Amino acid sequence: MIDYFALLDQPHAPWLDLARLKDTYYQKTLQAHPDAQTSRPGADTTCATFASLNEAYQVLQDPKRRLHHLLSLEGAAPSSTDQAVPKQLHDLFPKIGALTQQANLLLEKIRATSNALSRSLLRPQILEVQNEVKEVREKIQKLFDASLAELRLINTAWTKNPTEQIEGLSNLYFAVAYLTRWSTQLDEMSFQLSLH
């Protein structure tokens, strides 16, 4: 496994300075860019390095992927079989399910309508579901922001003793994973509803 932290000269930590990460990434990619290296021997190796730098940056800038990578490097990679809904998200889980079902049924009704008048009669329902999606999306964003704040706190303790923070970091990874997935799901739902 490639250590993306080392590849981009970053500390092995749950929280990274994203501006510093970006600067380091740009500097390294300028040096390794295939167009700058085509006349030099070992251009194929440079292409592989460039691809690795891109992958490293994509992983490290994303909190969920960074946590997974860090935990994997520590020998504590989270697995999908361990993935339980974190306690702080228990109330939100059924709400997301019900809202998804409601939106899917509404989208089916919309697709089944054959004329503009029938679609216009569904407009109040569409607006109602869109408002619910917006409310839930705002709750998810607040929880995500709180998770990032918790990540910063764990980062401080991580520098002193990483092994004691593995369980908390793993739990936080699952929370971020669920929140990210739900955000994407709700954004797609909102987009689909906006088309009608």
Side-chain angles (χ1 to χ4, degrees):
M1 171 187 285
I2 297 173
D3 181 343
Y4 292 145
F5 292 94
L7 189 61
L8 288 174
D9 302 330
Q10 299 298 307
H12 280 220
W15 185 264
L16 296 177
D17 179 344
L18 295 181
R20 183 173 166 247
L21 172 67
K22 189 176 186 178
D23 288 344
T24 303
Y25 167 70
Y26 282 141
Q27 289 170 6
K28 287 187 171 277
T29 54
L30 283 174
Q31 295 167 0
H33 196 280
D35 290 346
Q37 306 295 327
T38 54
S39 61
R40 296 183 188 172
D44 291 342
T45 306
T46 303
C47 287
T49 302
F50 186 74
S52 295
L53 288 169
N54 280 321
E55 178 65 19
Y57 182 67
Q58 294 305 316
V59 168
L60 295 183
Q61 74 170 349
D62 179 337
K64 179 185 119 189
R65 294 177 71 192
R66 178 181 351 136
L67 289 176
H68 190 278
H69 184 63
L70 181 60
L71 289 166
S72 297
L73 290 173
E74 294 293 324
S79 71
S80 57
T81 57
D82 300 335
Q83 193 172 8
V85 178
K87 290 178 186 174
Q88 69 269 33
L89 304 181
H90 279 191
D91 294 343
L92 203 50
F93 194 78
K95 180 110 175 132
I96 298 283
L99 187 54
T100 301
Q101 186 177 18
Q102 185 181 3
N104 287 338
L105 288 172
L106 183 56
L107 287 168
E108 284 178 29
K109 275 185 189 178
I110 293 168
R111 288 183 197 111
T113 59
S114 57
N115 60 48
L117 177 61
S118 298
R119 280 190 210 107
S120 69
L121 293 173
L122 292 174
R123 191 74 189 139
Q125 289 177 336
I126 293 170
L127 291 174
E128 181 184 333
V129 172
Q130 284 176 324
N131 286 335
E132 285 184 48
V133 167
K134 183 180 176 190
E135 286 175 21
V136 173
R137 184 67 175 83
E138 287 170 359
K139 286 180 187 176
I140 287 173
Q141 187 60 52
K142 285 180 185 174
L143 287 167
F144 187 79
D145 292 343
S147 294
L148 292 182
E150 187 179 342
L151 184 59
R152 288 186 92 147
L153 291 173
I154 287 177
N155 191 64
T156 304
W158 178 269
T159 57
K160 295 173 186 165
N161 190 348
T163 52
E164 286 183 9
Q165 304 306 316
I166 295 286
E167 185 179 339
L169 203 58
S170 187
N171 291 336
L172 192 55
Y173 163 77
F174 286 121
V176 169
Y178 270 104
L179 292 169
T180 303
R181 185 179 320 137
W182 288 340
S183 292
T184 303
Q185 185 179 348
L186 290 174
D187 288 347
E188 176 61 26
M189 193 184 304
S190 184
F191 175 72
Q192 290 294 323
L193 290 168
S194 71
L195 295 176
H196 304 286

